[in-house]
Amino acid sequence: MSVLGIIEKLLDGFEVEWKKFDDVGVFLRGKRFVKADMKSEGVPCIHYGEMYTHFGVHAKEAKSFLDESVASKLRVANPGDVVIVAAGETIEDIGNGTAWLGESDIVFHDACFSFKSSLDPKYVSYYLRTNLFKEQIRRSVSSGKISSINAKGLGKATIPIPCPDNPEKSLAIQAEIVRILDAFTAMTAELTAELTAELNMRKKQYNYYRDQLLSFDLSADQAGEGEVEWKTLGDLAENLDSKRKPITSGLREAGEIPYYGASGIVDYVKDYIFDGDYLLVSEDGANLLARNTPIAFSISGKTWVNNHAHVLKFETYAERKYVEYYLNSIDLTPYISGAAQPKLNKKNLGSIKIPNPAPKEKERIVAILDKFDSLTCSIKEGLPREIELRQKQYEYYRDLLLSFPKSDEAA
């Protein structure tokens, strides 16, 4: 049966009303605490950073805890509430919700809201992750160092309520949609896990050979016995940070030009400030330490770059890619400042020591690593592409299942 057929069967002639979140529940903002307050046991808590790394559509157990003396001054979400992220690096981070299904209350951070309603919390949580919802809140998201949204912006977005005049029937339909999505989520997760395991094995092989190719002894060079000359990154590249221009999301004019931030493409805009081949290096953000994605990545063609990524220019392709591979292989902790918000400033970036072999050797190393990279890291081919397609397929059917028809008045 098609997804549309499933929707028709579920509704069985009943209508759907799209209601504002403010009309079906209430948002409560959390109160601030810091990671240093979190313990291995105590009162359950959710720090907003954990929403990206530990929690999915729903959770029954906390990952962190607070002392009771600290927790008593903070706001709690009750079982059945949905905890919603209100801040992140991009709009895609905003609004993701986790239905709290634990047996006790849970403390949540001030970069989150709890949403209290009579709706099925897992139904709400699934809906909050859809593109349907993201598009509704896009204009309400403010951008500074991080993107954020307030309760007013969340509250004016709408959510489809099946059988609004029959709460019992409505909850039954919501529960059935959740059951279907739970099964689809589990199946997608299993398939993705198998592909990811294969990819991780290949990445380990890639990392081994990369490290072998890029293994140079800096201490030997300092003692006058090195096999290559070492230079600072500032000597190898031209820094173009002064040409960057950040634009808040509300002022961006939509277009086809990639708009880059610390971890890649954030948006697409109409104009550009760079045209050519450059290396971007993350300037700030948790990923500088977590390294979940590469902190150095190449861009080409017409682009716009905000002030969260350094812009470096090199004379040749081999030099740019060589530095990209090298930066992504080493520990940059000694060059990173800031605890709450890790930062790799321009001065520290330029001081990073880079082994500088002869041009022909750089070309050889890059040619080998490019081949490995195409097998393991390219999103356009191989296993990463397959994983991405599985995720897009999942998101498509999830969004379709929650795309109830709107009446002319609500459209």
Side-chain angles (χ1 to χ4, degrees), residues 49-335:
E50 293 182 307
M51 294 287 284
Y52 309 125
T53 54
H54 293 307
F55 292 97
V57 175
H58 52 88
K60 293 183 177 180
E61 296 180 354
K63 303 293 182 179
S64 302
F65 303 87
L66 293 170
D67 286 336
E68 188 171 348
S69 59
V70 175
S72 64
K73 304 172 185 177
L74 306 177
R75 179 160 278 158
V76 299
N78 308 122
D81 289 352
V82 180
V83 180
I84 303 170
V85 175
E89 291 188 3
T90 72
I91 188 174
E92 299 307 318
D93 297 328
I94 308 299
N96 287 344
T98 295
W100 175 242
L101 304 177
E103 296 181 357
S104 61
D105 294 341
I106 189 167
V107 176
F108 60 101
H109 193 266
D110 73 339
C112 299
F113 287 96
S114 70
F115 180 67
K116 301 177 181 293
S117 75
S118 59
L119 303 176
D120 185 310
K122 291 174 69 174
Y123 175 81
V124 175
S125 185
Y126 271 120
Y127 180 74
L128 291 172
R129 294 164 186 267
T130 64
N131 293 320
L132 306 168
F133 176 74
K134 301 291 185 186
E135 286 304 315
Q136 290 188 69
I137 65 169
R138 187 172 294 275
R139 291 187 176 276
S140 298
V141 174
S142 60
S143 294
K145 288 186 176 181
I146 61 172
S147 299
S148 62
I149 194 169
N150 56 27
K152 182 178 179 182
L154 290 170
K156 63 185 180 183
T158 59
I159 182 171
I161 310 296
C163 307
D165 298 326
N166 186 337
E168 185 176 349
K169 177 67 175 178
S170 180
L171 284 172
I173 293 175
Q174 293 172 44
E176 179 60 14
I177 291 173
V178 167
R179 186 193 67 78
I180 295 170
L181 287 173
D182 279 349
F184 192 30
T185 300
M187 180 182 68
T188 302
E190 183 178 353
L191 291 172
T192 301
E194 293 175 359
L195 292 169
T196 301
E198 174 68 17
L199 177 61
N200 288 338
M201 183 182 71
R202 293 192 183 183
K203 281 185 175 180
K204 286 182 179 179
Q205 293 174 333
Y206 164 76
N207 290 338
Y208 172 80
Y209 287 110
R210 181 197 63 191
D211 292 349
Q212 290 295 310
L213 287 167
L214 297 174
S215 179
F216 300 97
D217 190 348
L218 177 58
S219 62
D221 178 73
Q222 292 170 337
E225 302 171 356
E227 55 186 303
V228 297
E229 177 187 18
W230 287 71
K231 287 191 174 183
T232 64
L233 184 52
D235 291 332
L236 295 173
E238 179 184 1
N239 188 295
L240 301 180
D241 285 1
S242 62
K243 297 181 180 294
R244 303 175 304 180
K245 294 180 182 178
I247 314 175
T248 60
S249 58
L251 297 178
R252 292 176 205 151
E253 191 173 357
E256 298 180 352
I257 305 296
Y259 179 90
Y260 283 93
S263 298
I265 296 174
V266 175
D267 205 347
Y268 289 87
V269 295
K270 191 173 183 179
D271 205 354
Y272 65 93
I273 52 177
F274 295 101
D275 188 1
D277 301 322
Y278 303 95
L279 181 66
L280 301 190
V281 182
S282 304
E283 180 170 345
D284 50 34
N287 191 54
L288 280 172
L289 298 176
R291 305 294 282 268
N292 293 319
T293 59
I295 59 96
F297 50 96
S298 291
I299 62 172
S300 297
K302 293 180 173 64
T303 55
W304 194 296
V305 183
N306 67 20
N307 59 349
H308 294 293
H310 298 289
V311 183
L312 302 179
K313 183 178 181 180
F314 296 83
E315 292 185 1
T316 68
Y317 170 85
E319 289 178 337
R320 172 168 53 84
K321 290 298 293 185
Y322 173 80
V323 172
E324 177 182 343
Y325 286 128
Y326 187 75
L327 290 179
N328 286 326
S329 73
I330 63 172
D331 179 16
L332 293 174
T333 304
Y335 301 97

Side-chain angles (χ1 to χ4, degrees), residues 31-43 45 47 64-71 74 109:
K31 294 185 179 181
R32 183 169 178 77
F33 60 89
V34 296
K35 287 187 176 181
D37 292 327
M38 296 193 293
K39 309 294 180 183
S40 58
E41 57 183 26
V43 179
C45 73
H47 189 274
S64 302
F65 303 87
L66 293 170
D67 286 336
E68 188 171 348
S69 59
V70 175
L74 306 177
H109 193 266

Side-chain angles (χ1 to χ4, degrees), residues 13-37:
F14 290 95
E15 67 174 19
V16 173
E17 184 175 351
W18 288 73
K19 291 189 175 185
K20 291 182 178 180
F21 275 86
D22 275 346
D23 294 336
V24 295
V26 60
F27 290 99
L28 295 175
R29 189 163 204 137
K31 294 185 179 181
R32 183 169 178 77
F33 60 89
V34 296
K35 287 187 176 181
D37 292 327

